[in-house]
Amino acid sequence: MKLDPKVPTGPIEKSWDKARFELKLVNPANKRKFKVLVVGTGLAGSAAAASLAELGYEVEAFCVQDSARRAHSIAAQGGINAAKNYPNDGDSVWRLFYDTVKGGDFRAREANVYRLAQVSNSIIDQCAAQGVPFAREYGGTLSNRSFGGAQVSRTFYARGQTGQQLLLGAYSALMRQVGAGAVKLFPRREMLDLVVVDGAARGIVCRNLTTGATETYSGDAVLLCTGGYGNVFYLSTNANSCNVTATWRAHKRGAAFANPCFTQIHPTCIPVAGAHQSKLTLMSESLRNDGRIWVPKKKGDERGPADIPEEERDYYLERKYPAFGNLVPRDIASRAAKQVIDEGRGAKGALSVYLDFQAAIKRVGEDKVREKYGNLFDMYHHITDENPYKVPMRIYPAVHYTMGGLWVDYNLMTTIPGLFCLGEANFSDHGANRLGASALMQGLADGYFVLPYTIGGYFAGAKLAKVGTDHAAFKAVAAEVASNTAQLLAVRGKATPQELHRKLGRVMWDKVGMGRNARGLKEALAEIPALREEFWKTVAVSGSEESFNQTLERAGRVADFLEFGELLAKDALTREESCGGHFREEHQTEDGEAKRDDRNFSHVAAWEYAGEGKEPVRHAEPLTFDNVHIAQRNYA
Amino acid sequence: MDNHDGGKGMNLTLKVWRQKDSRDRGGLVAYKVENISADISFLEMLDILNEQLVAKGEDAISFDHDCREGICGMCALMIDGQAHGKDKDATTCQLHMRRYKDGDVIVIEPFRAKAFPVVKDLVVDRSAFDRIQQAGGFVSVNTGNAGDANNILVPHDKAEKAMDAASCIGCGACVAACPNASAMLFVAAKVSQYALLPQGQPERERRVLAMRAAMDAEGFGHCTNEYECEAACPKGIKVSNIARLNREFVRAMVVSE
Ligand SMILES: Cc1cc2nc3c(=O)[nH]c(=O)nc-3n(C[C@H](O)[C@H](O)[C@H](O)COP(=O)(O)OP(=O)(O)OC[C@H]3O[C@@H](n4cnc5c(N)ncnc54)[C@H](O)[C@@H]3O)c2cc1C
Ligand code: FES
């Protein structure tokens, strides 16, 4: 396998212009002749599908939910970054680029990140024009707030529902194209495999989740916009259906998987309440604009928050990182929370820290706080039965986002020609740690402003024979998919898919979670295959194949997580350094910060699938930093 | 006996709508769940029941859900005759078992409407909403067409009002709660969002006419001002939006003549 990142040469400010100029174009009349299959209708998928249809391509779009509007992007809360510099506080494309590379702990491709920062402003323009109701100042201009890892206010938002509003904007653009007949929509379909013909991605095999039928779809290119794999940890802030299935199966067909161990643990989530918890709920990073994080100074302090006087509180982020205070990047805030909790200084001596709004409420009043964060406070109240306007929130870190994903070149193409990967599903722009409000930016950048250009370059240069679903390759892959499903149903064991998923989650969280070490990782590498074996002996999948069957859906996803989890642990074990969200306890500075090893690990690890039971092959794409001065991150 | 989460749990009887597929007639089936913690969510309670069914080799109860935090609009249960159950301004997934007591009998049914056919058990087909949106729920602006965002000024209060309307999660509770199974609140929310914003003006008339027509074509009922939709809406969307929709509709009829 050869990794060619196809990064344009020359000054970084010009590289995207240069790349666009050099990409061959498909003339308008010919675009109609190309069919693109877009898997996933989140920000990345909806934006790409709509934009491609506007350009004249024939598009088919797929998602697992009953409507394209329900993709997990809908749940994003806090905001989206852009380098508009509307607040006049010193922001620029360069600064957004710089902050993102640094925030990612110098493990992202400079040219990709620069392009992301460059197109960020067009995203805001596009979304505003679509009627996305962004927050506004009294004069009618757009409002901004601050997010972690930045000292400027560059985050645009729609209350605590920014993802919802951006997705509904993209969805409306998509619906317009569906109404115009330019996009065909296939909801309640789960892509279960990729069809490769003559080395190029030519189609997909899906399960129709309503009827259970195995369906095949052919096209000239396939876009995977299928989101992140955080649910490999069982509990995460992701929606229940988030999965690794589409990218994992594509990986098994030849797409390299990059940096799977780069996972993000978000510092501010509602803590686990009990054994039957089915998901964790995020409390947006935006809350750290006004909320102050603290724990008691004393170990094992059992007093309620109101009984702990000011001088006995440790506002540990403000103390350790005075320059950024509560707005340090997520990996740093999460580890700091773990540290104080490990010291026995959690809220009421337990597994949480306080996020306190009393100072803000005193300063601006409860109404202003409600206007900014009302829906988040309500969510918190529903779940915990505590009123955060009166008592501080109790929060704890939780798995939230995955920086790793399918390896893509500068054009967002994977190692399989014709297979592109967008949004959270690819590995590209966030390095080892994503800054808040940058995932929405990346998903929409990929979908609206990058892929619609780069795909043309592929079509113009490729010689694609006519291939339909009657091609033998489709029949073969469909048969494999059907046999896999039959196997799941044939086990007839007693362990529910959830139960097995919970077991995997425990291993992943305990040994491949916030703090990783060689011993734990090796244990995980022994336990995951054993669990996989247990799965195939004991899984209980009731119901039938030819019907709506959520147990079967879940089982298939868990089976893939059980394979993928091993690769994640392997990647974590081989990366003998700490960087961003990947914290190897063996590699830390004296004050417990991540210690990178730039000499040996300034690269992307891209894994090649070598076949069932065979060791995957690790390839490295070297990273060079010509524009950003590489240094130990410092937020103090 | 202690429940899994520490305290002593509740024992409940659930009467759940089971229906094999869209052709099946369906009916209520009673299940007992035991030792349920007050702190878990309603859907987690159903998860527990489902895991028990699956372990016994029985078909799990199908119900839609995804985000489990009140934003995706996927969950949609009629609980004791109320869309999303008894909590105000909350979706089914936000309902917690602390709202119930030991010995309660709970009836769980799908959202019912002619335009929302049952797919299986508690799952319904809400694609009619997508089709209404396709008819006109958008601003026609291709990618790359937009000028600088701050060239369109939107007064703060207008933006807030548009945001109130745009908060709709498309769950369909308004339809399920309405005695006429009308989709007026859903359509009104979308029409209002755009009517309040300058971006929505060029297509203002076309949009309201097309969306209203699509709504009627899908078989949703008429609005007779019952206000049940507002009471059931988990996002607190107000019926004043319906008044705006009606004004927009009349205005569009006049303008387009
Ligand atoms: C609670 C929460 C809050 C967040 N808040 C923010 C924020 O404030 N700012 C920010 O920048 N980022 C935020 N993020 C991150 C951000 O929301 C996501 O990274 C981003 O929305 C992902 O978009 P996407 O288009 O890549 O994928 P998704 O939105 O996850 O969409 C995936 C799509 O793929 C489909 N799909 C998946 N698998 C298959 C399959 N096998 N077959 C067919 N279809 C499939 C799904 O149906 C869906 O349509 C948040 C994330 C969470 C969890
Ligand atoms: S599951 Fe998403 S709103 Fe209830």
Side-chain angles (χ1 to χ4, degrees):
Chain A
M1 176 177 285
K2 199 175 132 281
L3 300 175
D4 178 4
K6 300 213 173 81
V7 175
T9 50
I12 200 163
E13 301 89 331
K14 299 266 160 53
S15 52
W16 178 226
D17 273 350
K18 183 163 173 255
R20 278 191 298 178
F21 181 73
E22 284 169 4
L23 284 168
K24 289 194 206 102
L25 297 174
V26 181
N27 86 45
N30 280 343
K31 288 200 174 90
R32 227 176 309 121
K33 298 182 192 151
F34 292 100
K35 182 155 93 180
V36 186
L37 308 182
V38 182
V39 188
T41 60
L43 289 177
S46 285
S51 306
L52 289 172
E54 288 163 7
L55 287 170
Y57 293 108
E58 187 186 344
V59 178
E60 294 183 347
F62 305 80
C63 66
V64 296
Q65 290 84 0
D66 69 330
S67 165
R69 65 179 287 156
R70 305 200 205 282
H72 174 56
S73 294
I74 202 90
Q77 300 172 350
I80 176 166
N81 287 333
K84 283 283 192 187
N85 193 31
Y86 286 159
N88 197 26
D89 56 358
D91 204 4
S92 61
V93 167
W94 192 271
R95 189 178 293 280
L96 175 54
F97 157 65
Y98 177 88
D99 286 348
T100 308
V101 172
K102 175 183 169 195
D105 215 356
F106 307 96
R107 290 292 174 265
R109 243 186 239 143
E110 275 191 337
N112 281 58
V113 180
Y114 193 86
R115 174 178 66 190
L116 177 65
Q118 252 177 326
V119 303
S120 67
N121 292 340
S122 308
I123 297 173
I124 302 304
D125 298 339
Q126 184 64 30
C127 297
Q130 286 168 348
V132 168
F134 284 117
R136 302 270 174 170
E137 300 299 326
Y138 282 99
T141 54
L142 289 149
S143 297
N144 286 101
R145 61 185 171 202
S146 305
F147 256 63
Q151 287 171 311
V152 293
S153 256
R154 63 160 72 102
T155 305
F156 294 81
Y157 63 100
R159 293 191 192 146
Q161 289 136 273
T162 316
Q164 178 197 29
Q165 294 311 315
L166 294 175
L167 181 60
L168 292 181
Y171 161 81
S172 69
L174 179 61
M175 288 304 107
R176 173 171 163 242
Q177 294 306 317
V178 175
V183 177
K184 247 200 233 145
L185 207 55
F186 296 91
R188 290 206 201 268
R189 300 296 197 292
E190 180 158 20
M191 170 186 157
L192 294 179
D193 218 331
L194 178 77
V195 182
V196 179
V197 178
D198 298 332
R202 297 308 301 267
I204 60 174
V205 177
C206 292
R207 181 165 184 274
N208 179 325
L209 301 181
T210 307
T211 65
T214 305
E215 299 173 341
T216 50
Y217 299 88
S218 65
D220 299 291
V222 177
L223 272 46
L224 296 187
C225 314
T226 49
Y229 51 80
N231 281 347
V232 66
F233 291 88
Y234 185 65
L235 285 182
S236 82
T237 61
N238 289 6
N240 271 233
S241 72
C242 292
N243 66 84
V244 76
T245 292
T247 47
W248 183 247
R249 307 231 175 148
H251 171 64
K252 290 171 90 171
R253 296 275 169 206
F257 211 110
N259 299 335
C261 81
F262 287 172
T263 51
Q264 175 166 83
I265 301 200
H266 196 294
T268 57
C269 304
I270 301 178
V272 178
H276 287 292
Q277 189 113 10
S278 56
K279 79 146 325 196
L280 293 171
T281 300
L282 175 75
M283 285 290 108
S284 166
E285 181 162 308
S286 59
L287 293 169
R288 289 195 267 148
N289 273 274
D290 288 302
R292 297 179 69 197
I293 293 184
W294 63 275
V295 290
K297 280 189 177 156
K298 225 173 49 203
K299 265 185 201 174
D301 197 330
E302 293 284 338
R303 288 175 295 175
D307 301 326
I308 302 179
E310 210 42 49
E311 61 280 7
E312 292 180 43
R313 300 175 175 191
D314 179 13
Y315 295 88
Y316 57 90
L317 291 178
E318 297 171 28
R319 171 172 60 78
K320 288 169 74 172
Y321 309 103
F324 284 72
N326 290 294
L327 285 172
V328 289
R330 292 172 177 175
D331 53 332
I332 291 177
S334 289
R335 267 198 304 279
K338 182 174 187 293
Q339 261 172 16
V340 294
I341 287 168
D342 288 349
E343 289 164 22
R345 297 199 290 130
K348 290 197 195 170
L351 283 184
S352 55
V353 302
Y354 292 119
L355 178 59
D356 199 331
F357 295 90
Q358 284 319 307
I361 291 174
K362 258 198 215 115
R363 195 175 65 243
V364 298
E366 198 173 306
D367 284 348
K368 272 278 164 230
V369 171
R370 181 169 286 118
E371 186 179 307
K372 273 184 170 162
Y373 312 114
N375 70 315
L376 299 172
F377 278 48
D378 291 347
M379 257 157 77
Y380 183 86
H381 197 164
H382 276 302
I383 292 171
T384 62
D385 209 21
E386 287 176 0
N387 178 352
Y389 293 102
K390 301 279 179 262
V391 293
M393 290 184 177
R394 285 173 301 114
I395 52 156
Y396 192 68
V399 173
H400 177 60
Y401 181 86
T402 55
M403 283 75 69
L406 289 188
W407 184 91
V408 288
D409 63 16
Y410 187 74
N411 297 328
L412 304 182
M413 192 155 90
T414 68
T415 50
I416 302 176
L419 180 70
F420 295 80
C421 190
L422 286 67
E424 190 173 340
N426 73 24
F427 90 104
S428 60
D429 300 352
H430 309 292
N433 174 60
R434 174 176 71 77
L435 290 182
S438 287
L440 302 183
M441 170 173 72
Q442 182 228 330
L444 290 179
D446 289 359
Y448 284 134
F449 294 109
V450 179
L451 182 106
Y453 292 100
T454 59
I455 202 170
Y458 171 68
F459 286 144
K463 284 196 189 63
L464 295 167
K466 249 211 134 22
V467 169
T469 54
D470 50 353
H471 189 284
F474 280 83
K475 299 229 158 64
V477 178
E480 274 180 56
V481 166
S483 120
N484 193 39
T485 306
Q487 268 178 43
L488 284 170
L489 284 153
V491 181
R492 297 263 164 232
K494 288 264 177 280
T496 64
Q498 274 99 316
E499 199 176 321
L500 293 157
H501 195 176
R502 269 194 291 269
K503 283 190 179 172
L504 172 66
R506 164 113 336 125
V507 176
M508 296 303 293
W509 178 251
D510 288 348
K511 298 180 174 162
V512 201
M514 247 194 293
R516 302 163 171 175
N517 59 52
R519 210 186 74 197
L521 290 169
K522 283 181 189 151
E523 283 168 9
L525 283 170
E527 287 167 32
I528 299 166
L531 206 53
R532 198 159 61 224
E533 211 167 297
E534 181 181 337
F535 177 94
W536 286 105
K537 282 202 187 112
T538 64
V539 72
V541 184
S542 53
S544 79
E545 186 181 338
E546 299 88 20
S547 71
F548 194 92
N549 187 343
Q550 291 168 314
T551 315
L552 178 62
E553 290 170 29
R554 181 67 172 260
R557 292 171 198 154
V558 176
D560 289 334
F561 280 136
L562 280 164
E563 295 183 4
F564 170 71
E566 190 179 349
L567 185 70
L568 199 166
K570 201 162 279 179
D571 189 44
L573 182 64
T574 37
R575 190 169 279 277
E576 285 281 357
E577 64 164 351
S578 292
C579 55
H582 169 63
F583 192 70
R584 283 288 301 268
E585 285 158 358
E586 302 93 325
H587 306 288
Q588 51 182 307
T589 64
E590 257 165 41
D591 22 324
E593 304 290 352
K595 199 164 139 199
R596 287 195 324 265
D597 176 354
D598 293 328
R599 262 236 330 244
N600 295 304
F601 288 97
S602 186
H603 62 237
V604 177
W607 295 86
E608 178 183 359
Y609 184 74
E612 186 104 36
K614 297 221 178 80
E615 269 301 296
V617 186
R618 187 178 191 273
H619 301 269
E621 178 202 333
L623 293 170
T624 48
F625 296 89
D626 302 322
N627 299 280
V628 174
H629 172 63
I630 182 161
Q632 151 116 28
R633 284 188 307 171
N634 179 7
Y635 291 97
Chain B
M1 195 180 88
D2 274 4
N3 71 10
H4 304 273
D5 295 319
K8 181 151 168 42
M10 292 175 258
N11 295 336
L12 306 162
T13 303
L14 309 179
K15 293 190 172 165
V16 183
W17 186 263
R18 300 300 309 256
Q19 180 174 338
K20 268 173 61 182
D21 53 35
S22 54
R23 288 177 304 272
D24 185 28
R25 280 194 52 195
L28 290 171
V29 177
Y31 298 92
K32 292 218 178 297
V33 287
E34 291 174 353
N35 207 18
I36 295 297
S37 156
D39 285 330
I40 67 172
S41 73
F42 194 86
L43 294 186
E44 285 164 352
M45 184 268 299
L46 285 182
D47 290 342
I48 292 176
L49 172 59
N50 267 343
E51 287 205 57
Q52 289 166 358
L53 293 176
V54 171
K56 283 192 284 188
E58 290 174 36
D59 197 9
I61 299 160
S62 299
F63 62 91
D64 269 330
H65 65 93
D66 203 16
C67 74
R68 297 209 174 190
E69 56 185 56
I71 192 74
C72 73
M74 195 90 181
C75 64
L77 298 181
M78 207 68 181
I79 304 170
D80 290 330
Q82 277 178 292
H84 292 307
K86 56 174 130 183
D87 271 358
K88 212 180 136 26
D89 293 339
T91 53
T92 303
C93 61
Q94 291 179 301
L95 179 62
H96 277 66
M97 295 312 292
R98 60 180 79 96
R99 303 283 282 123
Y100 293 90
K101 57 179 195 316
D102 191 42
D104 278 354
V105 178
I106 309 172
V107 180
I108 310 172
E109 292 170 279
F111 278 8
R112 292 191 191 282
K114 191 171 124 215
F116 288 170
V118 172
V119 174
K120 185 180 174 188
D121 298 339
L122 304 168
V123 175
V124 298
D125 178 352
R126 289 168 287 187
S127 53
F129 274 7
D130 287 331
R131 289 187 293 274
I132 294 175
Q133 188 103 15
Q134 285 155 26
F138 47 77
V139 171
S140 296
V141 52
N142 281 3
T143 303
N145 275 353
D148 187 86
N150 261 349
N151 287 343
I152 318 168
L153 297 180
V154 184
H156 174 87
D157 295 344
K158 276 265 166 77
E160 290 296 309
K161 266 200 189 137
M163 181 61 207
D164 287 340
S167 303
C168 169
I169 58 173
C171 63
C174 46
V175 175
C178 175
N180 312 321
S182 168
M184 280 292 268
L185 193 63
F186 169 78
V187 176
K190 208 71 245 167
V191 166
S192 289
Q193 176 195 341
Y194 292 124
L196 285 159
L197 295 172
Q199 298 93 311
Q201 299 314 306
E203 294 165 288
R204 186 170 167 184
E205 294 83 25
R206 212 195 125 260
R207 175 178 308 113
V208 63
L209 296 176
M211 289 183 79
R212 273 286 312 250
M215 176 183 91
D216 293 341
E218 292 291 341
F220 290 103
H222 288 285
C223 173
T224 49
N225 300 322
E226 311 285 337
Y227 297 171
E228 293 292 340
C229 51
E230 181 180 284
C233 177
K235 295 291 136 184
I237 299 197
K238 297 274 177 295
V239 288
S240 54
N241 288 298
I242 297 185
R244 185 178 295 106
L245 168 62
N246 289 333
R247 286 198 303 275
E248 289 293 318
F249 185 68
V250 172
R251 184 181 167 282
M253 300 280 271
V254 176
V255 172
S256 53
E257 258 166 24

